[in-house]
Amino acid sequence: MHLADRTWPELGSYFESESVAIVPLGSTEQHGPHLPEGTDHIIAEGLANEAADRTGFLCTPPVRIGVSEHHRQFHGTMWVDPETFRNYVESFSRNLAYHGIDRIVYVNAHGGNVDHLREVGRRLRADDTAYAIEWMWDESIPDLVDDLFEHNGPHGGPKETAMVQHLAPDLVREDKLEAAAEGGLRTFSDDEIRQHGARTFYDSIDNTDNGVLGDQRDATAEKGEELFEAATEQLVALLEWLDDQRFEDLAAEPHV
């Protein structure tokens, strides 16, 4: 069920019997010369919508701008500061709780949002408003991602390229894949970003001239479909597990 497509009486019927909501979140930021700036929210919305269709759980409108200041040097990147993002997500999550939702899955496709969504979940749990958890699609299927690609890369690499090839193929600049790989950082490890134990970079451009981390030349729409199906299965399983839990079992433990 998609909240924005329903009337208020229809939604009232949902809230009478269900207490789970799905919230897709992504970003609008550079993803190299080959992928659209909407890559993250395209992926998040695709997964959230599919999971909602399979389970019948409520899916809210998406959040398409996130914590992305570390990509600001590249044209078109949009961002909000972390406190604004956290407060916004917390506010509409409390709106959902007002209507009867007490468990939320943030379907996230942007790494910059992770810590902030975790903090929002902690706040909501602290006062027993709701149990809200962040779910990152590629972290749900790490072995498959590793099996499919030689150089995954955390940003603009093959896993994101393959997903967009599957979900929105017309938006992938296939003629730029070679340039994206050659102008980016093919491998990305702790040894390359640390000096004597300290992280030495703040922005993505500090590591990659074109914004790409990884080698997307082995990405295909078929691999994207495989990733999408596997991640959707994990998300559906998470939603069904969450729905089965007693809310009191999800609440914070009392002081010892």
Side-chain angles (χ1 to χ4, degrees), residues 1-252:
M1 175 180 285
H2 300 274
L3 187 152
D5 296 338
R6 299 289 181 160
T7 66
W8 70 262
E10 293 169 343
L11 291 168
S13 298
Y14 179 86
F15 294 132
E16 287 177 2
S17 60
E18 301 288 351
S19 59
V20 175
I22 307 165
V23 179
L25 304 100
S27 69
T28 300
E29 64 183 31
Q30 74 83 17
H31 276 79
H34 62 300
L35 290 178
E37 304 229 342
T39 289
D40 288 344
H41 68 70
I42 289 169
I43 294 171
E45 290 172 52
L47 291 164
N49 289 335
E50 183 66 20
D53 290 343
R54 293 189 189 188
T55 63
F57 291 128
L58 184 71
C59 185
T60 73
V63 177
R64 293 176 173 170
I65 298 175
V67 182
S68 299
E69 188 176 3
H70 50 290
H71 294 293
R72 69 188 187 280
Q73 289 91 346
F74 295 96
H75 300 307
T77 291
M78 302 183 71
W79 69 89
V80 293
D81 67 76
E83 183 178 6
T84 298
F85 179 80
R86 290 191 298 267
N87 290 341
Y88 178 73
V89 175
E90 180 181 355
S91 181
F92 72 65
S93 296
R94 291 185 184 278
N95 299 162
L96 290 171
Y98 174 82
H99 292 297
I101 295 298
D102 63 16
R103 54 206 79 188
I104 302 168
V105 175
Y106 299 126
V107 176
N108 180 39
H110 173 51
N113 294 340
V114 173
D115 290 344
H116 309 293
L117 293 172
R118 294 272 305 163
E119 173 60 23
V120 171
R122 182 180 297 278
R123 294 179 188 178
L124 296 171
R125 189 183 191 221
D127 60 10
D128 293 326
T129 296
Y131 182 77
I133 50 177
E134 183 268 346
W135 179 84
M136 188 81 169
W137 72 272
D138 57 315
E139 293 180 358
S140 76
I141 50 170
D143 292 340
L144 178 59
V145 173
D146 286 341
D147 289 343
L148 289 179
F149 308 112
E150 184 177 359
H151 298 289
N152 296 328
H155 189 76
K159 62 190 176 188
E160 290 183 323
T161 301
M163 284 286 271
V164 181
Q165 285 173 324
H166 169 59
L167 291 168
D170 291 346
L171 297 181
V172 180
R173 280 62 169 176
E174 297 284 348
D175 61 332
K176 300 293 186 182
L177 293 181
E178 194 72 28
E182 291 179 354
L185 186 65
R186 190 180 189 202
T187 61
F188 188 78
S189 68
D190 274 354
D191 291 340
E192 294 170 292
I193 63 173
R194 292 181 184 271
Q195 290 291 336
H196 308 292
R199 290 174 61 124
T200 55
F201 76 97
Y202 285 96
D203 299 323
S204 62
I205 203 169
D206 295 335
N207 296 311
T208 168
D209 292 337
N210 70 357
V212 171
L213 299 168
D215 188 338
Q216 54 290 109
R217 286 175 290 193
D218 56 352
T220 66
E222 291 73 23
K223 290 180 179 179
E225 182 177 12
E226 188 175 354
L227 291 171
F228 182 82
E229 181 60 30
T232 299
E233 289 178 1
Q234 291 295 312
L235 178 54
V236 166
L238 172 63
L239 291 164
E240 292 176 342
W241 170 84
L242 189 58
D243 186 49
D244 286 341
Q245 307 308 302
R246 297 189 313 159
F247 184 72
E248 51 265 39
D249 293 334
L250 299 171

